Amino acid sequence: MIEANATRARLIIEELVHCGVTQYVIAPGFRSAPLALAAASHPSTDVMVHYDERGSAFFALGYGRAMHKPCVWITTSGTAAANGFPAVIEAAMDDVPLICLTADRPSELRDTGSNQTIDQVHLFGRYPVWFADLPAPIDGLDESFVRTTMSYAVHQSECGPVHLNCMFREPLLEMSDQQNSIPAMEWAQSKEPYTSYTSVTSESYHLHDDLCQKITGAQRGLIIAGRLQTQKEGRAIGQLADHLRWPLLADICAPISDTNSSIHFFDLILRNPSFIESYRPDIILHFGGRLVSKNLLKYIADSAVEIYMMISSSSKRIDPSHIVTHRIHSTTDSFCNAAMSSIRSDASNSSWLHTWQHADEIIHRVLPAKLGDDLSEPSVAWMLSDLLETVDWVVCASSMPIRDLQAFFRRTTSVQVFANRGASGIDGTLSTTAGISKVISGRGVVLLGDLAMLHDLNSLPLLKQANVTIIVLNNNGGGIFHMLPIALPDQSFEKVFGTPHDLDFQKIAGQFQILYSKVESCDQFRQIFHQASATRGPHIIEVETDRQQNAQLHHTLFNSVINSVESIL
């Protein structure tokens, strides 16, 4: 049985490697030992080991998000496997490649009260794009079954998470290295996957006459870019926006540098009810994934736009307001190139773009004066606009930090901003960062709040070798709830929503042997940020803020913006 377990595990890993999957993260456990040893001993694998199952799963998510190919997460049976659920949900919501290998007891131990045996069949519900329950191996080789299953799993993972539940009987292994006694198999000599999958794309894509007419006839066209996979997509969208002379509203997770049509502060512009009422689009082209800005989402929903084109190579439905009129299955590059070659560049209403640009310029002048020299959460987002020239990638937590970055950040570089906005949870931010740092070289920045930091402290060791600046906005609790219209007495609010922790991040940094700095002014923030960017390894920068003062500052800034935009209407 030991030989059967080891052979099965080797076969699984070998076929995954044949399919190009070489990155593995292991959360140690006994039932998964055959898989872990097979992965660790393979000459072509890169294996990371992390003691926390949830953090290791988010590491795999981060790798898949940045690399656009799956990392394999290996974990043992029972509640260990259940700890991967948040990462699986996030991967499913945002089409991130991920392969989960969960070890399990054999079928004869199910529903018997056997220790550490839970129901792992469809453990992650409907979130995986594909699930397979692999029976425990028996003596003898089941090559074609395992190899075709692995090939199909890799193919399916292009669209999201895949869950393979792998049963193993005891004895799993002995103290001696039983794998060394396994004879070389013919399949181990092969370098090709058992089954190959091919996607056919058309390079000679043409825009239908009907679509051309609709775009050409628009007087108030708008281009919206949600989360994008690559900077190449961002460049194509920027070129199309400039060609059409339509305002381009790019989500913070869309790597689009400053173009002639870019509207940086649309999230703030759309807080003005008069602007929304007076400037409604007649056509929207939406590229990419979901959007961070609730104000943009509301503007879209209330616009009663006649033509809403969703352009995506994914089959996933992104239409929360139920207003998409044209679903176009195409790569971004193909559509943009076809549109620019088919549509004149002088057909649009230039005053429409100029109005958006004027509002954007006014906010650009107003914000610095209103922010002043005081260090605050909005001022950090504002300062990062000028500090990211030396940064290669950014990870942003999904609560207030991503919202502040969307509102107050003026994009002057196409640096990729990552965020787990599929399900928008704050857990796993540090481990996701570690996975991304495995793929993208250079200096990274992670911007997160104190609660997001505390949720993932176990993953700080994963960042010990990463060149990353960790900016912690510490308002001692859940600051986002102060932004919401919650009517509770101060004492009850603080207990239920504030959740103060009073923890010392300097001591936390010391415990994990990571450089630490606490800043108390904007000038000091810039200085320490530059110092951190010039050194190797991780560096924690703590910015301490007050939740109530932060909420008041946001309201003051929003009111100032509303009044400034009102002046041009």
Side-chain angles (χ1 to χ4, degrees):
M1 184 53 63
I2 296 172
E3 183 174 318
N5 286 336
T7 302
R8 165 66 68 82
R10 280 188 61 199
L11 184 53
I12 288 173
I13 302 301
E14 189 71 49
E15 187 62 22
L16 289 172
V17 170
H18 288 168
C19 294
V21 180
T22 57
Q23 182 66 50
Y24 295 75
V25 59
I26 299 170
F30 186 57
R31 185 65 52 171
S32 57
L35 291 168
L37 290 172
S41 62
H42 196 288
S44 299
T45 59
D46 188 347
V47 174
M48 174 78 71
V49 178
H50 186 48
Y51 49 76
D52 180 87
E53 288 90 359
R54 184 174 62 89
S56 60
F58 271 104
F59 174 93
L61 172 84
Y63 178 93
R65 188 179 283 284
M67 192 68 177
H68 314 308
K69 61 184 293 187
C71 171
V72 176
W73 176 60
I74 297 175
T75 190
T76 193
S77 60
T79 57
N83 275 287
F85 206 170
V88 170
I89 292 173
E90 176 63 31
M93 298 291 284
D94 227 6
D95 300 331
V96 178
L98 174 65
I99 295 177
C100 303
L101 298 184
T102 59
D104 197 2
R105 264 65 176 171
S107 57
E108 63 266 19
L109 295 183
R110 293 175 177 174
D111 298 319
T112 65
S114 174
N115 182 48
Q116 205 175 341
T117 303
I118 68 170
D119 186 357
Q120 294 180 202
V121 177
H122 293 291
L123 177 65
F124 305 127
R126 296 170 58 189
Y127 288 101
V129 295
W130 189 62
F131 167 81
D133 195 27
L134 302 185
I138 58 175
D139 290 328
L141 188 62
D142 47 358
E143 176 186 345
S144 60
F145 159 64
V146 175
R147 292 192 66 189
T148 56
T149 300
M150 293 305 110
S151 297
Y152 187 66
V154 175
H155 174 65
Q156 289 291 93
S157 72
E158 295 175 2
C159 304
V162 165
H163 178 202
L164 301 170
N165 193 51
C166 307
M167 290 180 261
F168 293 102
R169 289 188 179 90
E170 294 187 14
L172 297 169
L173 46 80
E174 292 182 347
M175 294 301 292
S176 61
D177 186 5
Q178 292 291 333
Q179 296 203 74
N180 288 337
S181 66
I182 301 172
M185 302 295 178
E186 183 178 347
W187 47 262
Q189 310 307 314
S190 172
K191 300 300 180 185
E192 299 296 327
Y194 193 97
T195 307
S196 62
Y197 295 85
T198 304
S199 298
V200 178
T201 57
S202 174
E203 296 297 329
S204 57
Y205 182 85
H206 296 285
L207 222 57
H208 295 300
D209 291 341
D210 179 56
L211 296 180
C212 288
Q213 292 173 6
K214 285 178 168 58
I215 295 173
T216 303
Q219 292 299 300
R220 292 185 171 190
L222 199 62
I223 293 181
I224 295 172
R227 181 187 62 79
L228 301 174
Q229 297 280 3
T230 65
Q231 293 177 334
K232 182 181 179 183
E233 290 179 294
R235 287 192 295 271
I237 294 170
Q239 291 168 1
L240 176 62
D242 286 348
H243 178 82
L244 296 176
R245 291 189 290 184
W246 288 7
L248 170 57
L249 315 187
D251 188 89
I252 190 63
C253 295
I256 301 178
S257 60
D258 191 14
T259 71
N260 294 331
S261 306
S262 295
I263 308 299
H264 300 282
F265 301 109
F266 64 84
D267 180 84
L268 298 176
I269 294 172
L270 295 177
R271 292 177 184 274
N272 186 299
S274 300
F275 187 95
I276 293 174
E277 184 63 32
S278 302
Y279 295 94
R280 298 181 183 274
D282 52 19
I283 182 172
I284 293 176
L285 304 185
H286 183 155
F287 297 89
R290 294 174 176 83
L291 304 168
V292 167
S293 172
K294 289 182 66 176
N295 297 302
L296 178 54
L297 287 168
K298 187 177 186 305
Y299 174 67
I300 293 170
D302 295 344
S303 65
V305 63
E306 294 182 7
I307 302 170
Y308 193 119
M309 297 186 186
M310 171 64 71
I311 302 100
S312 176
S313 58
S314 170
S315 60
K316 180 156 288 187
R317 180 186 185 189
I318 302 177
D319 188 17
S321 301
H322 306 289
I323 57 174
V324 171
T325 59
H326 295 71
R327 186 70 172 77
I328 302 171
H329 189 267
S330 169
T331 64
T332 297
D333 293 355
S334 294
F335 184 91
C336 291
N337 291 335
M340 285 189 289
S341 63
S342 307
I343 299 170
R344 302 194 322 270
S345 61
D346 59 350
S348 62
N349 177 5
S350 60
S351 63
W352 164 250
L353 174 59
H354 292 161
T355 300
W356 281 90
Q357 291 173 327
H358 191 187
D360 205 43
E361 291 166 0
I362 287 178
I363 294 175
H364 195 180
R365 293 197 301 268
V366 167
L367 273 182
K370 295 299 179 181
L371 285 170
D373 296 326
D374 295 333
L375 185 63
S376 64
E377 295 180 31
S379 69
V380 168
W382 174 265
M383 287 187 291
L384 285 175
S385 303
D386 297 321
L387 295 174
L388 296 185
E389 293 292 341
T390 58
V391 169
D392 297 281
W393 49 273
V394 177
V395 178
C396 197
S398 288
S399 191
M400 278 305 297
I402 191 70
R403 290 173 170 85
D404 279 346
L405 215 58
Q406 180 68 84
F408 303 112
F409 181 83
R410 60 198 189 287
R411 185 181 278 280
T412 58
T413 173
S414 61
V415 62
Q416 180 79 62
V417 177
F418 299 96
N420 288 338
R421 288 290 297 182
S424 298
I426 66 169
D427 49 348
T429 305
L430 293 176
S431 40
T432 299
T433 302
I436 292 170
S437 72
K438 187 72 177 177
V439 176
I440 307 180
S441 59
R443 191 76 191 180
V445 171
V446 55
L447 180 68
L448 76 171
D450 49 314
L451 292 188
M453 179 83 164
L454 294 176
H455 266 276
D456 209 17
L457 281 184
N458 268 355
S459 297
L460 276 175
L462 289 172
L463 293 169
K464 292 293 289 291
Q465 304 303 318
N467 295 319
V468 60
T469 303
I470 304 168
I471 303 171
V472 184
L473 304 171
N474 181 12
N475 55 35
N476 196 29
I480 192 171
F481 299 107
H482 286 270
M483 306 290 178
L484 305 177
I486 301 173
L488 280 177
D490 289 344
Q491 186 175 0
S492 298
F493 182 95
E494 190 70 1
K495 179 180 180 180
V496 177
F497 294 103
T499 59
H501 50 80
D502 299 316
L503 294 175
D504 190 331
F505 282 99
Q506 183 174 9
K507 292 180 180 178
I508 291 173
Q511 180 69 30
F512 289 95
Q513 300 176 322
I514 294 176
L515 289 175
Y516 167 89
S517 300
K518 185 175 183 178
V519 296
E520 297 179 350
S521 69
C522 290
D523 287 341
Q524 192 179 17
F525 177 84
R526 294 187 187 95
Q527 178 185 354
I528 297 298
F529 186 92
H530 285 305
Q531 290 177 3
S533 299
T535 58
R536 294 190 61 81
H539 192 137
I540 294 175
I541 300 177
E542 180 181 359
V543 178
E544 196 171 79
T545 65
D546 180 273
R547 278 182 272 124
Q548 291 184 338
Q549 292 177 6
N550 179 57
Q552 183 57 51
L553 175 60
H554 277 80
H555 292 313
T556 300
L557 291 171
F558 295 155
N559 288 333
S560 298
V561 165
I562 290 172
N563 293 333
S564 64
V565 173
E566 192 74 31
S567 66
I568 70 170
L569 300 179

